[in-house]
Amino acid sequence: MTPSPRRVALLTLGCARNEVDSEELAARLDAGGWQVSTDAAGADVVVVNTCGFVEKAKQDSIETLLAAADTGAKVVAAGCMAERYGRELAESLPEAQAVLGFDDYTDIAARLDGVLAGEKFDAHTPRDRRELLPLTPVHRQAAKVVVPGHATVDEHTPAHLRPVLRRRLDTGPVASLKLASGCDRRCSFCAIPAFRGAFVSRDPQELLAEAEWLAKTGVRELVLVSENSTSYGKDLGDPRALEKLLPQLAAVDGIVRVRASYLQPAETRPGLVEVIATTPGVAAYYDLSFQHSSEPVLRRMRRFGSTEKFLELLASARTLAPEAGARSNFIVGFPGETRQDVEELVRFLTEARLDAIGVFDYSDEDGTEAVGLPGKVREDTIKRRYARISDLADELCAQRAEDRLGSLVEVMIDTVDAGEIEGRAEHQAPEVDGSTTLVAGAGAEAVDLAALHPGDLVRARVTATEGVDLIAVPIAMISAAPTARTPSPAPTAAP
């Protein structure tokens, strides 16, 4: 008799980097004989790729793990929270049959085989993963360290000829491409480097091969992700590697838009600003991690910059591409933040004309320098400042959207559902920014909505706004998506 298939559901929380990691796990599990889906119903094992960044994300991860246990499936915690807390998480969450760290990823199929068979696994004791790689960046490429999203099937084969160890978990026209992992910065509020490790880039030829693979699965837009994209190439001996890679990715057959994300302002060189602003097929979009604009606060955060320097950076981009999009995140209530610091942040936000603004209220994070900093801001004060800056951000972003009324935008169509067509203009990244809804227009220039499909890139005129979201009439097809998609290929064997 044919044995029953082993079914695993992969549930991914957190950022786009985690999504790429899940697709590597999916490929490994597929090669190990598991049927992989993203639906927990009917699964034998549910793997939750957790997020361990901030308290709310950790709580969401716990709730997802508990909900998975309620399905009757065996539950496995993986991802950042599992790596960060290891044994502590396992002891506090008996509902999970296993807590797996990054070092378990290479043998994930065997681990799940054991879970299904009732084996018990001792969770790891967390360690600072920065210590696993050489201190000098250029020596890191030769190190044998498990880095999620960086696995290769055959390291002895040239990068552009290797099978891609990735299986897509959706069929949408947009996919993330991981440039690098880890971070060498020492921001006093951030714990990510300790559990993600030191910065390490992926080989550019490997990235181009994966981009071609993604295009064959129907991907039309690539979103480049990492903890710090502006550091890409420093461990390859080429700090201008991203400037060279962007035009190459944009030239991949089938890819019509490439979007860079996670840019550090202090490392965003003029050459990179110019490439993003002027290269055909690269979105004129700047996802800049400002975090604050008051110099005293930034210094305590162990970051660089100021209101004036950040405004100059934005101005340099808009000189080259007047309609360029820009977004950033900000922390309010950081230790030592004064009313004057808040007013400086208000001044920056008012003058910056950002398209999207994320606001976070400060909270202590385990293992970070900021936990021990003096001058802690009272909780009620943090809440009050958070509400003020959040309201201001909503108002300013809505105004910025209104500035685009009457302008032409290039929209990537993401979904067509019951006659409603939704996509994103160049200044709108997936998930984190606003969106553009396409509606019928009058006149000979209007495009028939019934002829549009996900993956189409159209030119549209903005006719209205709803907060940060745009409403636009498509007037021309720029690039139509292929009518048939190639099924997502999978490697024949996992390393």
Side-chain angles (χ1 to χ4, degrees):
M1 295 178 61
T2 303
S4 299
R6 295 164 295 162
R7 296 164 297 181
V8 57
L10 274 170
L11 308 183
T12 307
L13 304 177
C15 64
R17 302 183 294 275
N18 256 14
E19 294 172 3
V20 177
D21 295 350
S22 285
E23 294 192 343
E24 177 193 307
L25 291 177
R28 292 183 182 277
L29 289 165
D30 184 80
W34 285 80
Q35 288 188 357
V36 184
S37 76
T38 57
D39 185 1
D44 299 304
V45 179
V46 176
V47 177
V48 180
N49 189 350
T50 59
C51 179
F53 180 38
V54 293
E55 190 59 38
K56 183 180 184 305
K58 289 183 279 189
Q59 187 59 41
D60 287 345
S61 295
I62 294 294
E63 292 174 359
T64 302
L65 287 161
L66 293 174
D70 290 340
T71 67
K74 294 181 182 295
V75 177
V76 172
C80 291
M81 187 177 180
E83 174 63 36
R84 183 176 181 183
Y85 293 103
R87 186 169 297 171
E88 179 184 346
L89 177 61
E91 291 173 351
S92 62
L93 193 72
E95 291 85 355
Q97 276 67 44
V99 173
L100 303 181
F102 295 153
D103 290 335
D104 293 302
Y105 280 20
T106 55
D107 296 316
I108 187 66
R111 295 288 188 275
L112 295 200
D113 288 343
V115 168
L116 196 57
E119 295 179 20
K120 298 296 183 182
F121 292 94
D122 291 331
H124 65 286
T125 299
R127 54 182 172 174
D128 190 332
R129 293 190 71 86
R130 288 172 293 193
E131 298 173 358
L132 302 180
L133 287 166
L135 185 63
T136 305
V138 294
H139 293 155
R140 293 174 187 166
Q141 292 294 318
K144 304 299 182 184
V145 175
V146 175
V147 181
H150 287 233
T152 58
V153 174
D154 180 5
E155 63 182 14
H156 302 295
T157 299
H160 67 286
L161 297 177
R162 298 170 189 160
V164 174
L165 190 63
R166 181 171 179 177
R167 173 180 169 176
R168 292 199 68 203
L169 293 172
D170 66 59
T171 58
V174 184
S176 297
L177 182 63
K178 182 177 278 193
L179 287 176
S181 287
C183 187
D184 288 340
R185 301 185 72 86
R186 293 295 183 265
C187 301
S188 60
F189 57 83
C190 185
I192 289 176
F195 58 85
R196 274 291 183 177
F199 185 89
V200 57
S201 303
R202 294 181 65 197
D203 185 293
Q205 294 304 313
E206 190 174 293
L207 291 168
L208 288 167
E210 188 167 329
E212 292 173 356
W213 178 89
L214 287 167
K216 291 175 182 177
T217 72
V219 170
R220 305 271 284 161
E221 177 176 335
L222 297 173
V223 181
L224 309 185
V225 299
S226 69
E227 275 77 21
N228 177 7
S229 296
T230 39
S231 282
Y232 178 70
K234 73 175 187 178
D235 52 327
L236 302 174
D238 186 0
R240 296 174 60 89
L242 183 57
E243 297 167 38
K244 299 173 184 177
L245 180 64
L246 282 167
Q248 292 177 294
L249 290 171
V252 170
D253 187 32
I255 300 299
V256 296
R257 188 154 74 190
V258 178
R259 182 185 303 276
S261 62
Y262 302 103
L263 307 177
Q264 285 288 344
E267 299 177 23
T268 304
R269 301 168 297 278
L272 179 59
V273 172
E274 181 177 359
V275 167
I276 292 174
T278 62
T279 303
V282 175
Y285 173 83
Y286 297 85
D287 175 14
L288 294 157
S289 177
F290 290 130
Q291 302 300 347
H292 213 285
S293 71
S294 169
E295 285 192 77
V297 174
L298 288 167
R299 297 303 173 270
R300 284 192 292 275
M301 289 180 169
R302 293 197 178 276
R303 297 177 67 85
F304 303 94
S306 66
T307 293
E308 301 308 328
K309 289 179 180 177
F310 292 163
L311 290 175
E312 289 172 6
L313 175 57
L314 291 169
S316 69
R318 288 167 176 156
T319 297
L320 296 167
E323 298 301 317
R327 78 168 325 274
S328 191
N329 295 322
F330 299 87
I331 299 172
V332 295
F334 192 78
E337 183 188 63
T338 65
R339 282 177 288 184
Q340 290 75 20
D341 295 325
V342 175
E343 294 307 318
E344 184 68 3
L345 177 57
V346 168
R347 181 171 80 89
F348 171 70
L349 293 175
T350 303
E351 296 183 30
R353 297 169 59 236
L354 299 173
D355 293 277
I357 299 170
V359 183
F360 295 87
D361 49 338
Y362 172 80
S363 62
D364 285 339
E365 273 298 308
D366 300 337
T368 63
E369 180 186 352
V371 170
L373 289 178
K376 291 293 175 64
V377 181
R378 288 173 36 177
E379 187 173 340
D380 60 335
T381 302
I382 292 177
K383 290 181 178 178
R384 186 169 62 252
R385 291 177 182 177
Y386 171 79
R388 179 190 177 191
I389 299 300
S390 295
D391 289 345
L392 176 64
D394 290 343
E395 178 184 348
L396 292 173
C397 291
Q399 291 175 3
R400 178 62 176 148
E402 290 175 359
D403 290 343
R404 297 186 183 275
L405 282 170
S407 68
L408 294 177
V409 293
E410 294 186 359
V411 179
M412 168 66 66
I413 297 176
D414 289 328
T415 59
V416 178
D417 185 18
E420 184 170 306
I421 303 175
E422 188 173 8
R424 292 166 297 98
E426 270 191 283
H427 68 281
Q428 297 169 325
E431 306 296 336
V432 294
D433 298 338
S435 63
T436 299
T437 299
L438 298 179
V439 297
E445 67 173 3
V447 172
D448 180 11
L449 296 184
L452 299 179
H453 301 88
D456 289 344
L457 184 67
V458 300
R459 183 171 293 108
R461 188 175 303 279
V462 180
T463 58
T465 65
E466 293 181 354
V468 297
D469 299 326
L470 306 182
I471 298 172
V473 174
I475 60 173
M477 177 70 73
I478 299 174
S479 176
T483 55
R485 291 184 177 185
T486 305
S488 174
T492 55

